[in-house]
Amino acid sequence: MPTRASTASVKRFVRRQAMRAVYRADLRRPLDPNLAVYGAYWNRGVACNPAAIHAKARELAPHIRGVWVVSSRHRDRMPAGVPYVIEGSRPYWRAMATAGYLVNNSSFPGGFTKRPGQRYLQTHHGTPLKTMGLDQRAYPALARKTDFDKILAHVRQWDFSLSANPHSTEVWDRAYPAPEDAPYERLDLGYPRNDVYFTATAEDIAKIRAELGIAEGQTALLHAPTHRDYRDGFVPDLDAEQLARQLGSDYVLLVRAHYFYGRSVGVDASGAGRVIDVTGHPRVEELCLAADALIADYSSLLFDYACLDRPIVVHAPDWAAYRAARGTYFDLLSGRPGDTPGPVTTTPDELADVFRTGRWRSPEAAALRTAFRERFCPYDDGHAAERVVRRFFDGVQ
């Protein structure tokens, strides 16, 4: 007698086959030149560059209907009034078969067939410090779990690849090489998700800080550590509560776990409001706007935050392990202008000392930050989304 698990597995298989059949039929339908499908972070909802492009397209190209792909477990994150389809559903396959435009910062699920006439914009989701794409072949631990043929097949779908800076363009060209018979066009236009750093008003920032519970006069420090390939689960390298005690009540720490972990950072926010867990906040851009300084590790957030021209302190106690396991494109800790955005610390006491002595906002720190911004933020000016929309979509005046 079949078990419940085996019966459910058979039902899922039959459903997938049925969806594939209707999808093949939909591939014979005409393309809809006014339909755009958006996706971000493997179907986690409205976010990042695709979100900024979608918002600007609604303004400049109202004839384009946008629909988002979201997984069933993240559907509750969808803002009211934003059309969406659930990945793997009948509406999803119909949209993927007929949309004239496709926009994603990662990849669309399910192995769709890109049709002639469809235009696919790969926005990416960060400036690369760590190795990406085919460059990961040099690191055995990464190479064993990476399907490089799948990466190349995905690249073959792209018509445009968005870049935030010359460094990114150089990396994308090598890590995601375009085949000779299916070249993609580089769009050196800046990151639409960074536009808000140039357009937000003082009133906008004050509202965000108040909503987060940052008291008037407090200095807010944001720490949003990235994923470590050599670790299992979220293991913070910074004891936020200890740092808060060392710095005193004039400071508040905003702490955000990487989305890979899907949970909070588990901090005890009872310490007079000096540590705030912001893992569940929907927009990291708002957290950046609220913060007076960034305590960075190896997350690409540090490149975006540099747009604000606010202090950045690099806290990197595990730099050697991270670099050995993942590989990096330059030495973030070198202290060279253009490579390092501000003071570097490797121990808790050094980190506290940077703030207590004022080195975090010293002239030397400002000089490093300026050189870093010149290298990694040359296209960001508050108008990247407009440039992308006008280049990518047809019929935009």
Side-chain angles (χ1 to χ4, degrees):
M1 173 177 280
T3 65
R4 286 186 179 180
S6 64
T7 300
S9 179
V10 169
K11 287 183 177 179
R12 286 194 296 269
F13 174 79
V14 170
R15 184 177 184 277
R16 284 196 299 269
Q17 293 301 104
M19 288 296 174
R20 288 289 184 178
V22 295
Y23 176 57
R24 287 192 292 270
D26 283 341
L27 289 173
R28 294 192 290 270
R29 291 175 173 271
L31 291 177
D32 184 342
N34 295 323
L35 176 62
V37 177
Y38 297 88
Y41 296 119
W42 299 275
N43 320 309
R44 285 176 168 83
V46 180
C48 191
N49 293 312
I53 293 168
H54 177 225
K56 185 58 68 172
R58 294 175 71 176
E59 174 189 336
L60 299 179
H63 62 286
I64 300 294
R65 304 187 321 279
V67 61
W68 281 82
V69 178
V70 64
S71 69
S72 57
R73 60 179 175 165
H74 294 307
R75 68 193 308 166
D76 60 331
R77 297 183 179 182
M78 293 301 298
V82 175
Y84 67 91
V85 293
I86 299 297
E87 68 168 281
S89 67
R90 178 74 183 90
Y92 166 75
W93 287 112
R94 170 68 62 86
M96 293 303 295
T98 59
Y101 303 96
L102 307 168
V103 182
N104 207 308
N105 75 353
S106 51
S107 60
F108 288 104
F112 78 96
T113 300
K114 180 168 175 285
R115 299 173 60 183
Q118 287 186 313
R119 290 155 68 96
Y120 187 165
L121 169 61
Q122 172 57 241
T123 74
H124 305 280
H125 53 272
T127 290
L129 170 62
K130 64 187 178 184
T131 56
M132 301 292 291
L134 300 191
D135 288 344
Q136 297 176 70
R137 292 179 297 188
Y139 297 86
L142 292 175
R144 282 194 297 270
K145 58 184 180 182
T146 303
D147 188 335
F148 295 106
D149 289 336
K150 188 175 181 179
I151 288 175
L152 291 173
H154 183 213
V155 172
R156 176 174 283 276
Q157 297 172 332
W158 303 353
D159 296 292
F160 301 92
S161 173
L162 185 62
S163 182
N165 46 62
H167 163 76
S168 293
T169 302
E170 178 184 340
V171 171
W172 302 151
D173 283 352
R174 183 179 63 252
Y176 303 111
E180 291 186 4
D181 62 333
Y184 59 74
E185 181 178 339
R186 307 177 191 92
L187 297 184
D188 295 329
L189 301 177
Y191 262 8
R193 72 184 187 186
N194 291 344
D195 285 353
V196 67
Y197 299 138
F198 300 88
T199 60
T201 65
E203 290 75 18
D204 294 331
I205 295 170
K207 183 174 183 290
I208 295 168
R209 286 172 65 95
E211 289 173 348
L212 289 170
I214 302 170
E216 183 112 10
Q218 277 187 316
T219 296
L221 309 178
L222 173 63
H223 183 54
T226 192
H227 168 68
R228 265 68 167 170
D229 295 277
Y230 67 92
R231 291 180 184 166
D232 293 324
F234 180 68
V235 182
D237 285 294
L238 185 154
D239 186 331
E241 291 174 339
Q242 176 183 323
L243 181 60
R245 287 193 296 271
Q246 289 176 300
L247 296 182
S249 60
D250 288 341
Y251 287 82
V252 60
L253 272 69
L254 311 176
V255 185
R256 181 183 181 89
H258 192 272
Y259 62 85
F260 275 8
Y261 303 112
R263 61 180 180 84
S264 72
V265 296
V267 299
D268 178 6
S270 62
R274 294 200 295 270
V275 179
I276 303 174
D277 184 344
V278 292
T279 300
H281 196 281
R283 293 200 63 195
V284 70
E285 293 87 1
E286 290 190 354
L287 301 179
C288 289
L289 287 168
D292 297 289
L294 176 70
I295 301 175
D297 64 346
Y298 324 124
S299 168
S300 65
L301 187 66
L302 73 94
F303 301 98
D304 297 351
Y305 193 83
C307 292
L308 288 166
D309 196 21
R310 297 179 189 172
I312 298 172
V313 176
V314 176
H315 184 59
D318 65 333
W319 174 245
Y322 184 86
R323 202 171 193 188
R326 181 64 197 233
T328 60
Y329 290 115
F330 61 91
D331 187 353
L332 183 67
L333 277 60
S334 70
R336 291 189 298 267
D339 283 358
T340 306
V344 173
T345 67
T346 58
T347 69
D349 288 341
E350 288 177 350
L351 181 59
D353 189 64
V354 160
F355 290 101
R356 284 192 299 231
T357 62
R359 282 202 302 125
W360 64 291
R361 49 186 174 189
S362 67
E364 294 79 10
L368 285 173
R369 188 169 70 250
T370 296
F372 194 81
R373 290 181 70 233
E374 289 174 351
R375 180 180 180 187
F376 293 110
C377 310
Y379 310 141
D380 288 318
D381 58 1
H383 301 284
E386 179 180 349
R387 288 191 292 268
V388 171
V389 167
R390 293 190 185 282
R391 178 65 188 84
F392 181 62
F393 293 104
D394 291 324
V396 181
Q397 300 300 316

